[in-house]
Amino acid sequence: MDAKLKTKIKEFVLSEVNEPVAAATPDPFWQSLKNTGTELWLDTGDIDEANKNWTSEMTALTTNNTLINKEIQKGIYDELIGQAKAIVQDLPIREQIMEIAFIVNARHGLRLAKKFGGFVSVELHTNTAHNMEATVDYGLRYFELCPEQFIVKVPYTASGMLAARKLRDLGVKINFTLEFSARQNVLVASITKPNYLNVFLGRLGAYIKDNGLGDGSGAGEKAVLETQRWVTKLTSKNKVPTKLIAASLRSASQLEDLAGVDVFTMPTQVAAAGKASLKGNFSSRLDADYPVHLNSPEDEPLISKLWHVSEEELALALDLGANLPQDGNELIQRVHDAGFRDLFPYLSDEDLEDIASDGKIPVHERWASRIKSGELAVDTLLNLAGLASFTKDQAQLDARIERLIS
C-alpha cells in the first residue's frame, strides 16, 4: 500500500473521536491492591462496562480479537465501515477487509484512550501472526495513531517474536500475548524484550480440570509466580524492564492470591466480584508457592513444563536473544536443533484443524501420546488453540465487514 493511502486512512481514523472523559474517583479497595506493586488493567472493549468499574487506580484497558468482535457485532461501527469503504475501495477485496478491520480496531482503541485516559492494548489482525513484515507495518501504524497510549499486542509465534523485537527497537510499546508458561516467557523476555508479556492463567487450570487430570487448582497461580521470578531476573537490568501480566483473571480470589504480580488484566465481572466479596486487605504473595493437585504422578513431568525452566531452555533463550535469527523459520530450526521441538512443533494442516475444533481447551486424550513423546507440550497446544480461537472471532468480524461493503 502506498504512503498516500496510509496517510488518508490515518487522518480518517483520527477524525471525530469526541468521546466524553470518564470520571475516575479514588477507591481504597483498589489502592490497597495497587500498593502491593500491581498495576490494574480492565480486560474489556465494552465502554459502558468499563465505565462502571473504572477508578483512578486503574491505568489501562486491553482488547483482543474476541472482545473487539463483540463490539463490532453490536452494529455500532456499521456506518463507519461504510465510510471506510470509500477510502479503500481500490484495493483488492481481502485487503479492503483487513484495512477496514484495522480502522475500526484503531477507532475503538482511540475512543477508549480518550474516555479513560490510560493505555490501551490494541490487537493485530490474526492474518499477520506469522508475517514479520505485516506485523511491523501494522504495529507502526497503530503506534503513529496514538504513541502515548497505544500498546500493540503481538501473539506468541516465532515470526511474532522477531517482529515485536523490531518494533521495540523502533520505540513501539509491545504487549506480547498468548503465552502459557514460564519457559515460553523466558524466550520472549530474552528475544523480544517487550514492555509486557503474559500468562493466560485461567486456561491452565481449565486444561487440567476439563481433561480429568486433576482439580485444576494452583496451576495458573504457580505458573504466574514462577514466570514473575524469571521475568524479573532476566529483565531487571534492561533499559525498560519487562512486566508480567496475569492475564484475564477468572475469579475474585486470584486478586488476593496473586497480589504483587506486575499487572492484572481483570474482566469487568471479576473486578466487580472482587470489590463485592473481598475485604481489600491485600499483601504481596510473590513468595507464595501454590500446590497443584494431579490425579496421576505420571502427568507431573508433562504439566510441570508450565512453570519449570531447565538450564538448557534458559541457555537457548539467552543465545537466541544475543544472536537473533533472521526470520521465524531460522528461530524454529534453532529451537529444534537444541532439542526442544515441543516449543514449536511441525504440525500438519489436519493437526491444526483438530486443535481449532477442540476450542480454547485442547482435548488431552487426542494429544497425550504426542505430548509424552516430546513432540508437543501443553503450553504449545494452549497457545495454538488460543490463536485459533482469535482467528475464528476475527473471521466473524471480517464477515460482517464483507457483508456491509459487498
Side-chain angles (χ1 to χ4, degrees):
M1 184 189 303
D2 62 46
K4 185 176 180 180
L5 181 54
K6 286 183 179 179
T7 298
K8 192 172 183 179
I9 290 170
K10 177 181 177 181
E11 291 172 349
F12 175 71
V13 172
L14 289 169
S15 66
E16 300 181 14
V17 182
N18 301 312
E19 199 68 34
V21 177
T25 57
D27 189 311
F29 177 88
W30 296 116
Q31 185 61 51
S32 175
L33 180 52
K34 186 178 177 181
N35 288 344
T36 68
T38 298
E39 292 182 29
L40 305 174
W41 297 12
L42 287 180
D43 190 28
T44 184
D46 188 315
I47 292 175
D48 292 336
E49 286 302 309
N51 198 37
K52 295 175 185 176
N53 292 276
W54 187 260
T55 72
S56 60
E57 292 77 22
M58 297 173 184
T59 55
L61 300 107
T62 181
T63 64
N64 57 41
N65 311 86
T66 301
L67 296 175
I68 286 295
N69 181 49
K70 289 180 180 178
E71 299 307 299
I72 303 306
Q73 297 300 338
K74 294 175 182 178
I76 60 177
Y77 289 113
D78 286 358
E79 183 178 353
L80 181 74
I81 290 168
Q83 294 168 349
K85 174 182 167 58
I87 300 174
V88 302
Q89 61 187 345
D90 292 333
L91 296 174
I93 185 65
R94 300 317 303 173
E95 291 183 35
Q96 288 185 43
I97 292 168
M98 275 197 68
E99 282 302 309
I100 294 174
F102 168 74
I103 287 167
V104 294
N105 268 275
R107 175 65 70 84
H108 194 72
L110 287 170
R111 289 181 64 200
L112 291 169
K114 175 78 172 178
K115 186 169 188 68
F116 298 102
F119 294 113
V120 178
S121 275
V122 288
E123 188 121 8
L124 301 174
H125 196 289
T126 52
N127 283 3
T128 69
H130 299 286
N131 187 322
M132 287 180 60
E133 183 178 345
T135 297
V136 172
D137 178 59
Y138 279 103
L140 285 171
R141 291 172 67 191
Y142 268 129
F143 176 70
E144 290 166 359
L145 284 166
C146 193
E148 298 302 318
Q149 290 176 267
F150 274 4
I151 306 171
V152 179
K153 295 181 82 172
V154 179
Y156 178 97
T157 67
S159 296
M161 282 192 206
L162 299 172
R165 173 63 177 268
K166 287 188 176 184
L167 288 168
R168 281 299 299 124
D169 291 343
L170 292 169
V172 178
K173 292 184 282 290
I174 295 294
N175 176 0
F176 206 80
T177 188
L178 273 183
E179 303 96 288
F180 292 87
S181 68
R183 65 181 193 146
Q184 286 178 336
N185 279 307
V186 165
L187 279 177
V188 174
S190 300
I191 296 169
T192 300
K193 304 183 188 301
N195 302 77
Y196 302 93
L197 42 65
N198 291 259
V199 173
F200 279 61
L201 70 154
R203 297 185 202 180
L204 304 185
Y207 184 93
I208 294 170
K209 183 177 181 179
D210 292 358
N211 285 294
L213 304 178
D215 63 13
S217 64
E221 290 80 359
K222 189 176 184 71
V224 165
L225 293 174
E226 285 297 322
T227 300
Q228 180 72 79
R229 292 166 193 134
W230 278 109
V231 170
T232 300
K233 179 179 178 180
L234 290 173
T235 74
S236 61
K237 295 182 180 179
N238 290 1
K239 184 177 180 180
V240 179
T242 298
K243 294 184 178 181
L244 170 66
I245 298 174
S248 197
L249 303 182
R250 290 287 183 91
S251 67
S253 63
Q254 290 172 332
L255 298 174
E256 291 183 332
D257 294 342
L258 294 171
V261 169
D262 289 332
V263 183
F264 285 168
T265 58
M266 305 177 292
T268 53
Q269 63 269 29
V270 172
K275 182 74 185 299
S277 64
L278 301 177
K279 294 181 179 179
N281 300 320
F282 296 102
S283 60
S284 175
R285 302 302 306 273
L286 291 182
D287 293 328
D289 184 13
Y290 294 101
V292 178
H293 303 287
L294 299 175
N295 295 333
S296 171
E298 292 182 0
D299 292 324
E300 196 280 332
L302 311 178
I303 300 301
S304 67
K305 285 189 176 184
L306 298 173
W307 47 80
H308 179 68
V309 180
S310 69
E311 292 183 6
E312 294 80 9
E313 287 167 331
L314 175 61
L316 171 63
L318 296 176
D319 177 63
L320 289 168
N323 305 284
L324 285 176
Q326 293 299 305
D327 55 34
N329 288 333
E330 182 188 338
L331 191 156
I332 292 170
Q333 188 59 56
R334 286 169 62 179
V335 168
H336 279 237
D337 290 345
F340 297 106
R341 59 178 178 157
D342 65 348
L343 280 165
F344 290 103
Y346 292 129
L347 297 174
S348 67
D349 290 343
E350 183 179 355
D351 288 333
L352 296 175
E353 290 173 3
D354 286 341
I355 289 171
S357 71
D358 282 352
K360 290 182 180 180
I361 307 301
V363 177
H364 182 74
E365 185 177 359
R366 187 200 298 271
W367 309 103
S369 63
R370 295 167 73 175
I371 293 173
K372 289 179 180 179
S373 73
E375 180 187 355
L376 292 172
V378 174
D379 52 358
T380 303
L381 279 172
L382 284 165
N383 162 258
L384 294 169
L387 187 55
S389 177
F390 281 157
T391 300
K392 179 180 179 181
D393 290 322
Q394 182 70 62
Q396 292 178 356
L397 189 159
D398 290 354
R400 186 179 188 93
I401 293 172
E402 185 169 16
R403 287 196 301 272
L404 290 168
I405 67 175
S406 295

